[in-house]
Amino acid sequence: MTDLTAGGVNAPAIRRVEFDTEEAKARLRRRYRSEFRFKVYGFAALAVTTTFLLLLLSSIVSKGIPGFFQNVIVTDVLVDAGKIDPEGNGDAATLRAGDYTAIARAALAEAIPGIEGRQLKKELNGLLSSGAGDALREQVLADPSLVGQRVKTQLLLADEADVFLKDSSTTIRTIADTRGIATPTGTTGDVTIFVGANDFADDIAEVKAELKAKAAAIMEAIERRKARGAGPESLKDLEREAADLRIRYEAAATSETLDSKTPSRLVAINGGIVKVKEMTPTLVKGEVIIPLKSTADAAPGTWQIRVYEKPESNRNLNDRGLTFLEALKAKGLVENRFNWAFFTTGDSREAELAGIQGALVGSILTLLVTIGLCLPIGVLAAIYLEEFAPKNRMTELIEININNLAAVPSIVFGLLGLAVFLNFFNLPRSAPLVGGLVLALLVLPTIIIASRAALKSVPPSIREAALGVGASHQQAVFHHVLPLAMPGIMTGTIIGMAHALGETAPLLMIGMIAFIVDVPTSLTQAATVLPVQIFLWSDLPEPAFKMKTAAAIMVLLAVLFVMNGLAIWLRKKFERRW
Amino acid sequence: MDMRPDPLIMMTTQTAQATVAAKPKIVARNVNVFYGEKHALKDVSVDIPERSVTSFIGPSGCGKSTFLRCINRMNDTVPSCRVEGTILIDGKDIYDPALDPVQLRARVGMVFQKPNPFPKSIYDNVAYGPRIHGLSRSKGELDQIVEASLRKASLWEEVKDRLTDSGTGLSGGQQQRLCIARTIAINPEIILMDEPCSALDPIATARIEELMEELRHNFTIVIVTHSMQQAARVSQQTAFFHLGHVVEVGETPQIFTNPTDKRTQDYITGRFG
Amino acid sequence: MSEHIVKSYEQELAILDSKISQMGGLAEQLVGEAFDALASHNPARARATVASDATIDLIHRELEEQVILMIARRQPLANDLRQVISVLKVAGELERVGDLAKNVAKRAQTVSGETHPKGLLTGLQHMTDLASRQLKDVLDAYAARDAERAIAVWHQDEKLDAVYNSVFRELLTYMMEDPRNIGLCTHLLFVAKNLERIGDHTTNIAETVNYMTRGALPEGERPKGDITSTTLVSGPMR
């Protein structure tokens, strides 16, 4: 008391917080400003994070959603006994071995009749997946009485056709207001169509304009290369091409040849479709893709010109396939349905047949091994370190090493697994057992650290209470401390498992990257896991696999979300407060 | 105690006689406790009589809790702690290497400063001790032990309809009485209480004090408290600890009206500077 | 004695002591003045003395209130408890001393018209001096927390009793000599008795002081010299 009241010689003047002085107001404004600034920074940081997350998610989802769907041809097929069971013995083995692809092809030929010639037939059958008959086989196996009858079934489309249907980048322009009477010279093979008016003049102009644009683009490219110092030798080909193009578009010739680099033009006439190869304003020459019904004159407006805007060379599906597909679509036979098979089949070289069940089961088996090893070892290690280990230099050293182990790059664990489990113990390659062992090593430090934190967070008063009623240290730990720490331990374990689920690098080292079609059924069978499957697919060139990759990522993310959600739920449900 | 007709003693005749009659339950001789380098207790010698309440008072860090924790060897759980000297309970050295400290703690129960029921049901809280020590032969017997313990802790009437509720849902005072019930469920001879009322309101405190008054007929109670008034109210014997020494031990009435040591007097009258 | 951590507690205890010394001073003064009024046959002075007893009563009430308040607020323990309780008891004794002195003054008023035999006043004068000195000594012992001095006062009361015994006999003799003296002598007998009682109160205070400082009452029986209760003087008429 006396210290405050006795105004010593050096006692500072007594100041109080003022409300009204300019200085005080300025200080207040400064404080408000700095607080506002902090809020803005925080919000901005959050906004950036959210934006990136949304971008990532929306990109994956938009790419992945089509991967969950698949286009099929839904039609009635005749289950021809001669193709699957010529001897009529009807046993399962025979039925299973039957040539269902032939039946599927026959059904397709029925849907688009009159296709002649090996080449065209091959193109038509190419629309079907190599597994097109699988659904029918299942139906027949389930009900052998279907043999010899007409059955409504689904024929799986090949990935090129599937992707084409999902991808809207190829637009088809139809010119229906044709002015002249068209007369085809034949119904199949190469035909010429004479037209009463110059219906194709515009098309020729368009083609020339495209050629001109292309020539300009090539010239530009030449200029760019020159600027970068490219030798004249290397530019020779480009220059020649540009010159050729220039000749073509500058020539006043009335005839123009179409190739795969310009948009394809087709004429739909008399129920058939003719692909244009060469055209003048009043005449086109081309090959028939879908046979014409007759060579009769077609009145203006009853025939059409179709333009496939994307040049054939830029597509995976050529003009013939596209035309057949469009015809099937026009007949209403194509259906887009959810691809359950994605979850029930293993990997495949054919994108439309590839599924993630193999990887999913592989992941589950691997994680089973991991959790089976990690949880008991990790928890027991944590309990011993936290509760029983003498606090000395040795324990400290072990603790530091465990913490360091958590920061070791995962690939190192893969190398360790390769050296120890494969080379020393001679365990099978690519097996979930080894994968689980390696991931267990990887996750163990995480679980030990999380479990120790959970054990540490149990208040010492509980321990004391147990000791106070005559429980031994071990009884206190196992009866009271451990149950209370369990939610924390479970949370740590689940997060560790989620980490393990997403881990790829160490599994590459032990050969889990192999292409494996079969769904694994045991711990020692070759298998792969979800992230590795994603890695594998992402490397493949087919656009269908790109979709599958995104779809598999979505599945992986969903599993991770569920696991993290489970962790949060466990924590919320069992968490106790003191 | 001399036999002169001292009015002060006349006033407390009953207590005095009780103390004289009771043989010492706990005998501590030259107890020294070290926490690493720190010498926490210095040559403590105290006799604690049977079936009475003995309170330890003293400023914070004086060693009273440390000594309390020596009586049930709770200090064994502190790795750096070293205890010298002898503590006898009924003439038996509790620091005898042949004696299991866990069994000792079943005979010397402890109630802590903060009510610390297990986050389990009220029933399980009380039944835990008897279960791990195998004190009941059947479920019915266990039920009886639980009820009797809760009754002795005067908590039965309040919780008999919600024995399956969590013990942590009770009020602070009820929690502390639950902790006492949990302790007496294993039927110890001695109950150590480390500031059992410091986290409680005055009414809850009064209930605990009333409980102690009842329990002292069956148990030897040792209580550490910061409240001089509480020590004066509940105990028959008081020991004043200061800087690791026992400064004065005596009948509670004498300590609080006419302490012999100036340090005791300064402490209980609030003169420590 | 080290100071209390709570300074206001220390101050309150100091106020108790100062009030006791104030009260003691007043009581001492009252005893002297009462006798002076008696000796000088001055009824006005006697009335003034009677009136000033009210101040003692007032301080007594104040002390009582403060002690109750302190017990409620501070819950004193050990020597503080003994001091607070002693203050309560000493104040009670001093209040009684004041009352007895007031009674002496009242009687002085009543007998102011009479002429006292010379020898009688000498005895009473001696008693007053002894009582006053005892009172003063015991108050000093209180202020100094001096148990030895208090015990000395306690033992000195015997002297006062002895003087009282002789005054008692003397007065009885006077009354027997001449029945006209009976009225005056009865009053003087009460004055002597009052002075003797004041002495008893000082011994009580001395006991309290001893308790306050030592925590125990004086050892042994208090020496008592008042034998008047067993004295019977037979009349000369027989």
Side-chain angles (χ1 to χ4, degrees):
Chain A
M1 281 298 130
T2 45
D3 300 346
L4 284 179
T5 46
V9 184
N10 294 323
I14 294 169
R15 297 199 186 85
R16 192 165 280 133
V17 173
E18 297 288 344
F19 294 130
D20 301 323
T21 61
E22 274 312 306
E23 200 194 337
K25 281 180 183 163
R27 192 177 298 116
L28 194 64
R29 274 198 298 278
R30 253 196 328 273
R31 203 188 82 210
Y32 284 167
R33 267 205 303 279
S34 97
E35 285 167 0
F36 177 75
R37 263 202 310 278
F38 171 75
K39 269 186 206 163
V40 169
Y41 293 156
F43 185 80
L46 197 64
V48 169
T49 319
T50 316
T51 312
F52 278 123
L53 190 66
L54 283 179
L55 272 176
L56 178 76
L57 279 181
S58 62
S59 148
I60 289 173
V61 168
S62 65
K63 276 188 197 145
I65 292 268
F68 289 110
F69 291 89
Q70 196 153 44
N71 286 292
V72 290
I73 298 171
V74 180
T75 183
D76 285 345
V77 298
L78 177 68
V79 185
D80 188 351
K83 284 192 176 108
I84 54 168
D85 189 13
E87 278 135 46
N89 46 17
D91 63 308
T94 318
L95 291 180
R96 191 181 296 281
D99 188 1
Y100 294 93
T101 309
I103 296 178
R105 284 179 179 168
L108 200 60
E110 208 176 306
I112 303 178
I115 304 297
E116 301 283 327
R118 233 178 110 250
Q119 191 63 29
L120 274 176
K121 272 190 175 156
K122 200 179 147 200
E123 297 287 354
L124 179 59
N125 291 335
L127 286 181
L128 286 179
S129 160
S130 57
D134 291 353
L136 182 63
R137 176 185 286 129
E138 293 307 314
Q139 274 173 294
V140 171
L141 282 174
D143 180 9
S145 69
L146 294 177
V147 177
Q149 297 187 6
R150 288 194 79 84
V151 179
K152 192 179 177 74
T153 189
Q154 297 175 338
L155 308 175
L156 196 58
L157 282 173
D159 59 336
E160 293 90 353
D162 188 45
V163 169
F164 173 80
L165 288 170
K166 285 169 182 170
D167 177 17
S168 54
S169 66
T170 306
T171 51
I172 298 174
R173 183 152 54 93
T174 306
I175 303 166
D177 56 341
T178 44
R179 297 183 292 271
I181 297 166
T183 314
T185 56
T187 55
T188 56
D190 289 338
V191 294
T192 308
I193 302 171
F194 300 96
V195 183
N198 54 349
D199 275 305
F200 299 104
D202 298 346
D203 293 84
I204 289 171
E206 260 176 47
V207 171
K208 281 190 189 297
E210 276 159 19
L211 291 174
K212 190 174 179 180
K214 200 175 280 174
I218 291 171
M219 288 311 289
E220 218 174 277
I222 291 169
E223 290 306 315
R224 265 208 309 279
R225 290 200 181 185
K226 272 184 184 163
R228 256 185 273 140
E233 278 302 312
S234 63
L235 299 174
K236 219 179 247 170
D237 286 347
L238 282 175
E239 275 169 351
R240 192 180 305 128
E241 197 182 342
D244 288 349
L245 286 171
R246 194 178 305 123
I247 292 165
R248 275 176 69 184
Y249 73 74
E250 280 176 354
T254 50
S255 161
E256 191 54 68
T257 315
L258 296 181
D259 58 22
S260 65
K261 287 177 184 156
T262 53
S264 306
R265 285 176 156 74
L266 295 97
V267 176
I269 183 166
N270 291 349
I273 292 177
V274 180
K275 183 187 171 184
V276 177
K277 283 181 171 165
E278 202 181 330
M279 60 185 177
T280 67
T282 57
L283 162 156
V284 291
K285 284 182 184 164
E287 65 157 327
V288 173
I289 294 177
I290 295 176
L292 279 57
K293 289 205 174 70
S294 68
T295 53
D297 291 348
T302 60
W303 63 278
Q304 300 167 339
I305 303 167
R306 288 189 188 157
V307 184
Y308 300 165
E309 298 281 14
K310 202 177 197 176
E312 191 174 18
S313 61
N314 291 359
R315 277 183 263 129
N316 285 316
L317 193 62
N318 63 21
D319 284 345
R320 292 171 185 161
L322 204 165
T323 309
F324 290 138
L325 194 58
E326 282 299 315
L328 287 168
K329 212 167 128 187
K331 285 191 169 182
L333 297 177
V334 178
E335 218 171 81
N336 193 16
R337 40 138 227 184
F338 192 77
N339 186 7
W340 290 110
F342 183 61
F343 297 100
T344 56
T345 56
D347 197 8
S348 169
R349 289 289 180 215
E350 306 296 330
E352 73 276 7
L353 294 175
I356 56 161
Q357 200 199 2
L360 212 52
V361 172
S363 271
I364 290 169
L365 290 175
T366 307
L367 285 190
L368 279 180
V369 173
T370 306
I371 199 165
L373 280 170
C374 263
L375 196 58
I377 294 178
V379 171
L380 287 175
I383 291 176
Y384 184 76
L385 275 177
E386 193 59 39
E387 298 281 345
F388 297 99
K391 301 274 176 282
N392 56 22
R393 216 162 249 286
M394 194 65 206
T395 322
E396 244 171 70
L397 199 71
I398 291 172
E399 275 182 43
I400 292 170
N401 276 313
I402 287 173
N403 292 346
N404 283 342
L405 216 54
V408 169
S410 56
I411 190 89
V412 177
F413 287 99
L415 284 168
L416 181 78
L418 179 65
V420 176
F421 300 130
L422 296 190
N423 294 347
F424 188 74
F425 288 114
N426 287 324
L427 292 173
R429 288 177 68 84
S430 314
L433 176 66
V434 182
L437 284 168
V438 169
L439 290 181
L441 287 179
L442 181 70
V443 177
L444 205 52
T446 315
I447 292 188
I448 292 177
I449 291 168
S451 302
R452 290 191 64 186
L455 288 169
K456 214 174 265 176
S457 74
V458 175
S461 67
I462 295 295
R463 248 167 282 236
E464 284 192 333
L467 295 179
V469 292
S472 69
H473 189 178
Q474 192 180 323
Q475 282 172 325
V477 168
F478 282 93
H479 294 173
H480 299 288
V481 178
L482 191 57
L484 292 174
M486 222 50 208
I489 293 175
M490 289 322 295
T491 308
T493 306
I494 290 171
I495 287 169
M497 286 301 117
H499 177 192
L501 177 64
E503 199 54 70
T504 322
L507 301 180
L508 303 186
M509 302 307 300
I510 54 149
M512 287 192 93
I513 190 154
F515 169 73
I516 291 143
V517 177
D518 295 325
V519 175
T521 51
S522 82
L523 291 177
T524 47
Q525 260 182 335
T528 189
V529 293
L530 265 179
V532 175
Q533 184 73 77
I534 289 166
F535 173 72
L536 280 169
W537 281 351
S538 70
D539 224 22
L540 296 174
E542 287 94 332
F545 273 120
K546 298 269 180 279
M547 290 180 189
K548 296 262 166 177
T549 306
I553 289 174
M554 282 172 72
V555 172
L556 182 61
L557 282 181
V559 175
L560 288 176
F561 282 153
V562 167
M563 285 177 82
N564 285 336
L566 192 70
I568 292 168
W569 178 77
L570 272 175
R571 196 166 52 215
K572 282 263 180 307
K573 184 159 195 292
F574 294 108
E575 193 174 45
R576 287 177 198 281
R577 297 186 183 283
W578 284 275
Chain B
M1 190 61 59
D2 62 12
M3 285 295 118
R4 261 171 283 155
D6 189 338
L8 195 77
I9 300 303
M10 301 289 280
M11 194 174 82
T12 57
T13 311
Q14 267 186 316
T15 323
Q17 280 174 349
T19 314
V20 170
K23 60 179 168 118
K25 180 80 180 172
I26 306 168
V27 177
R29 287 292 173 268
N30 300 322
V31 175
N32 282 282
V33 176
F34 303 85
Y35 287 119
E37 292 295 298
K38 195 178 165 248
H39 196 172
L41 271 189
K42 296 162 193 165
D43 282 329
V44 169
S45 297
V46 181
D47 287 1
I48 293 170
E50 198 171 19
R51 292 178 206 281
S52 69
V53 180
T54 302
S55 60
F56 292 170
I57 59 169
S60 294
C62 65
K64 55 192 189 304
S65 283
T66 302
F67 183 60
L68 192 77
R69 282 160 180 265
C70 287
I71 300 173
N72 69 346
R73 291 185 62 177
M74 206 68 163
N75 279 334
D76 288 17
T77 59
V78 181
S80 64
C81 179
R82 188 156 54 83
V83 180
E84 289 173 3
T86 49
I87 298 177
L88 310 175
I89 294 180
D90 291 335
K92 245 174 138 180
D93 186 0
I94 59 166
Y95 279 89
D96 187 342
L99 188 118
D100 179 31
V102 172
Q103 281 183 334
L104 172 74
R105 283 182 213 129
R107 300 268 299 268
V108 185
M110 190 157 191
V111 176
F112 297 85
Q113 179 173 6
K114 226 180 116 204
N116 55 354
F118 302 127
K120 300 180 172 194
S121 75
I122 293 170
Y123 183 94
D124 286 341
N125 260 284
V126 182
Y128 179 69
R131 268 188 197 138
I132 59 168
H133 297 297
L135 301 185
S136 64
R137 298 276 172 274
S138 65
K139 173 84 174 84
E141 233 176 80
L142 191 60
D143 288 349
Q144 280 171 8
I145 291 176
V146 169
E147 181 178 340
S149 305
L150 285 169
R151 274 189 198 284
K152 276 188 216 158
S154 30
L155 193 62
W156 177 250
E157 290 303 321
E158 290 162 64
V159 301
K160 64 179 174 190
D161 298 325
R162 47 180 177 138
L163 288 175
T164 52
D165 288 11
S166 173
T168 51
L170 297 172
S171 73
Q174 287 174 327
Q175 285 189 14
Q176 194 63 297
R177 274 180 282 150
L178 178 60
C179 292
I180 292 174
R182 179 176 69 191
T183 305
I184 59 189
I186 51 171
N187 210 13
E189 299 161 87
I190 300 164
I191 300 177
L192 308 177
M193 298 188 176
D194 193 354
E195 296 179 43
C197 302
S198 62
L200 305 182
D201 65 64
I203 299 297
T205 302
R207 284 190 209 280
I208 303 276
E209 287 176 4
E210 167 62 20
L211 185 56
M212 281 194 237
E213 183 61 30
E214 283 165 23
L215 291 178
R216 80 175 169 94
H217 299 296
N218 297 315
F219 301 94
T220 303
I221 296 176
V222 185
I223 174 176
V224 163
T225 177
H226 270 139
S227 160
M228 254 103 56
Q229 276 74 23
Q230 181 170 55
R233 286 190 299 260
V234 300
S235 67
Q236 284 74 53
Q237 257 219 346
T238 299
F240 172 60
F241 284 70
H242 183 45
L243 298 176
H245 293 282
V246 171
V247 172
E248 192 170 351
V249 190
E251 301 299 323
T252 299
Q254 179 251 318
I255 293 282
F256 284 99
T257 58
N258 192 18
T260 46
D261 196 287
K262 183 168 177 307
R263 284 169 293 177
T264 317
Q265 168 153 314
D266 281 357
Y267 178 69
I268 64 177
T269 56
R271 281 188 168 87
F272 258 24
Chain C
M1 178 73 62
S2 47
E3 294 233 314
H4 273 103
I5 296 161
V6 182
K7 291 201 171 54
S8 59
Y9 188 9
E10 193 72 35
Q11 283 163 5
E12 284 174 21
L13 287 171
I15 288 170
L16 288 185
D17 277 0
S18 77
K19 282 205 170 147
I20 285 292
S21 76
Q22 191 191 354
M23 224 178 144
L26 278 170
E28 228 181 292
Q29 200 186 338
L30 213 60
V31 173
E33 279 177 0
F35 181 77
D36 285 353
L38 180 75
S40 61
H41 302 273
N42 188 341
R45 204 166 163 192
R47 265 197 301 281
T49 308
V50 169
S52 63
D53 179 50
T55 319
I56 293 185
D57 289 353
L58 185 71
I59 298 172
H60 178 226
R61 266 202 304 283
E62 278 175 13
L63 269 175
E64 266 181 352
E65 271 170 33
Q66 201 185 337
V67 164
I68 289 168
L69 213 61
M70 281 181 74
I71 290 173
R73 277 167 54 183
R74 312 280 186 197
Q75 288 120 40
L77 285 171
N79 58 337
D80 295 337
L81 177 63
R82 298 203 307 269
Q83 183 183 349
V84 167
I85 295 300
S86 300
V87 162
L88 198 62
K89 281 165 79 178
V90 170
E93 302 291 350
L94 288 175
E95 195 267 340
R96 289 296 302 144
V97 170
D99 284 353
L100 293 169
K102 185 174 82 175
N103 190 265
V104 170
K106 272 184 182 166
R107 289 180 195 281
Q109 247 177 296
T110 314
V111 300
S112 61
E114 316 268 335
T115 45
H116 318 150
K118 185 108 169 99
L120 281 180
L121 273 186
T122 318
L124 287 175
Q125 171 83 59
H126 194 35
M127 279 186 83
T128 309
D129 289 348
L130 276 176
S132 293
R133 209 178 68 221
Q134 273 192 203
L135 194 54
K136 186 176 178 314
D137 278 355
V138 83
L139 288 169
D140 286 350
Y142 176 90
R145 302 282 188 276
D146 189 342
E148 292 302 319
R149 217 156 135 190
I151 294 296
V153 173
W154 194 55
H155 285 294
Q156 268 168 22
D157 189 47
E158 240 175 333
K159 272 193 216 164
L160 188 59
D161 287 350
V163 179
Y164 172 58
N165 287 340
S166 67
V167 169
F168 179 77
R169 283 172 184 283
E170 217 172 329
L171 283 170
L172 284 184
T173 314
Y174 271 111
M175 284 189 265
M176 278 187 291
E177 279 173 1
D178 186 351
R180 283 173 300 172
N181 284 342
I182 288 180
L184 170 67
C185 285
T186 309
H187 279 296
L188 293 184
L189 194 57
F190 272 112
V191 167
K193 181 64 192 170
N194 284 350
L195 290 171
E196 192 271 334
R197 289 296 302 147
I198 288 173
D200 288 349
H201 286 301
T202 58
T203 60
N204 285 350
I205 295 176
E207 281 172 10
T208 308
V209 169
N210 185 61
Y211 169 73
M212 180 171 80
T213 46
R214 287 180 172 162
L217 293 188
E219 288 158 19
E221 197 77 355
R222 178 168 72 91
K224 284 229 165 93
D226 181 2
I227 50 165
T228 53
S229 42
T230 55
T231 305
L232 184 67
V233 180
S234 27
M237 296 311 191
R238 188 74 54 88

